[in-house]
Amino acid sequence: MLVDNGIYTTLLEKKAKGRKQMAVLVDPDKVIPQQLDHLLELAQGADIDYIFIGGSLLVKDQIKECIYRIRERTSIPAVLFPGSPLQIYSEADAILLLSLISGRNPELLIGQHVVAAPYLKKSGLEVISTGYLLIDGGKPTTASYMSNTLPIPGDKAEIAMCTAMAGEMLGLKLIYLDGGSGAFQPVPEPVIRSVREATSLPLIVGGGIRSAKLAHRAVQAGADLIVVGNILEKEPSLLGEMSAAIKSSKVIDS
Ligand code: 1GP
């Protein structure tokens, strides 16, 4: 368990060096032990920067087990990507404290955070405050339904841009553009580009990235960190080439 700002600092350092990063998203509900072990083995060998764990709605109690497996099989930091305060586990290294700034649901802007705050403080987890934006990925996702919010339309880059700018001005430390897990279309490049140009915060992009080409495009448009979940559950062998496509987009080598 880390208690310093290790993960965020590392993320900033890699960004400063122009090193693009990749996170594998593990949905604890879908975990089949042998498959997870195989994915973790691939991740360990493929220069994966973080493993995100969480989901908009979980019906099984498997987060802790996932963290233990990640610990046993890799040296990759385990970062909680929680859908609710029920997904706080001190066994992880860090947690993304998501404020759903694309929506107008006060519970997900501040309400749940108030509930979670004392638990987070006690957990000793590194807390990384994150401006979370849902972008319409062509179909309703669990995230959009459960959050009871309207995602930003994919052709309204200016809304995403202004929202991210406001998030930065409010002091959030990361911006996460998410098409939602299993999105038909990943976050459009003009949206990524506009947000990239308008803020200097590290930019995470995920949702519907199901090929090395799409991952590469998102990086070229300005993403610093790509999150991939769904497709790796179906085709774990893609992990290596997706990682290579992201990392080969290195802008500055220092
Ligand atoms: C969802 O960004 C993540 O919150 C990953 O999405 O599962 O579609 O890769 P996928």
Side-chain angles (χ1 to χ4, degrees):
M1 183 179 73
L2 295 179
V3 290
D4 60 7
N5 288 325
I7 290 178
Y8 186 64
T9 303
T10 304
L11 199 147
L12 285 180
E13 284 169 0
K14 288 182 178 174
K15 173 173 158 52
K17 290 177 181 168
R19 285 195 202 147
K20 301 299 181 175
Q21 303 169 63
M22 177 172 176
V24 170
L25 174 64
V26 171
D27 179 340
D29 268 6
K30 295 191 194 154
V31 160
I32 297 166
Q34 272 186 338
Q35 287 177 7
L36 178 61
D37 289 353
H38 177 54
L39 185 64
L40 293 174
E41 197 179 304
L42 293 174
Q44 181 66 19
D47 194 18
I48 298 305
D49 299 278
Y50 316 96
I51 296 184
F52 286 2
I53 314 154
S56 303
L57 175 68
L58 298 182
V59 297
K60 299 176 189 166
D61 184 16
Q62 300 193 140
I63 292 186
K64 231 190 240 187
E65 191 196 324
C66 285
I67 297 171
Y68 290 143
R69 292 191 105 83
I70 294 165
R71 286 267 176 281
E72 278 168 19
R73 286 158 181 83
T74 77
S75 54
I76 305 169
V79 178
L80 296 168
F81 173 48
S84 85
L86 295 172
Q87 297 176 30
I88 298 172
Y89 287 87
S90 60
E91 290 81 0
D93 294 301
I95 184 166
L96 301 183
L97 181 61
L98 305 171
S99 186
L100 183 53
I101 57 177
S102 61
R104 298 295 179 268
N105 178 345
E107 277 302 304
L108 300 179
L109 285 163
I110 183 63
Q112 298 284 305
H113 312 69
V114 174
V115 173
Y119 295 91
L120 288 173
K121 192 153 191 171
K122 198 171 165 209
S123 74
L125 286 163
E126 179 183 340
V127 176
I128 307 174
S129 59
T130 302
Y132 187 51
L133 284 73
L134 286 175
I135 309 295
D136 194 341
K139 68 168 190 180
T141 60
T142 309
S144 61
Y145 183 84
M146 291 306 295
S147 67
N148 198 16
T149 66
L150 195 61
I152 295 174
D155 61 351
K156 302 286 182 193
E158 68 279 11
I159 300 179
M161 179 186 78
C162 295
T163 306
M165 283 167 69
E168 183 171 35
M169 289 169 184
L170 283 166
L172 298 170
K173 291 155 93 179
L174 287 177
I175 297 294
Y176 190 150
L177 300 175
D178 199 346
S181 203
F184 276 144
Q185 292 118 26
V187 177
E189 288 159 60
V191 171
I192 301 173
R193 213 169 287 120
S194 300
V195 170
R196 170 74 293 147
E197 283 165 12
T199 79
S200 57
L201 291 176
L203 181 55
I204 304 179
V205 176
I209 298 178
R210 52 177 69 83
S211 69
K213 196 171 172 187
L214 289 173
H216 185 76
R217 279 192 190 157
V219 159
Q220 290 300 106
D224 297 302
L225 166 58
I226 302 294
V227 185
V228 183
N230 256 275
I231 192 67
L232 297 176
E233 289 160 13
K234 294 170 198 138
E235 294 179 56
S237 60
L238 281 180
L239 195 147
E241 66 182 81
M242 291 182 94
S243 170
I246 290 164
K247 308 284 169 163
S248 70
S249 305
K250 197 155 63 165
V251 186
I252 308 159
D253 196 6
S254 58

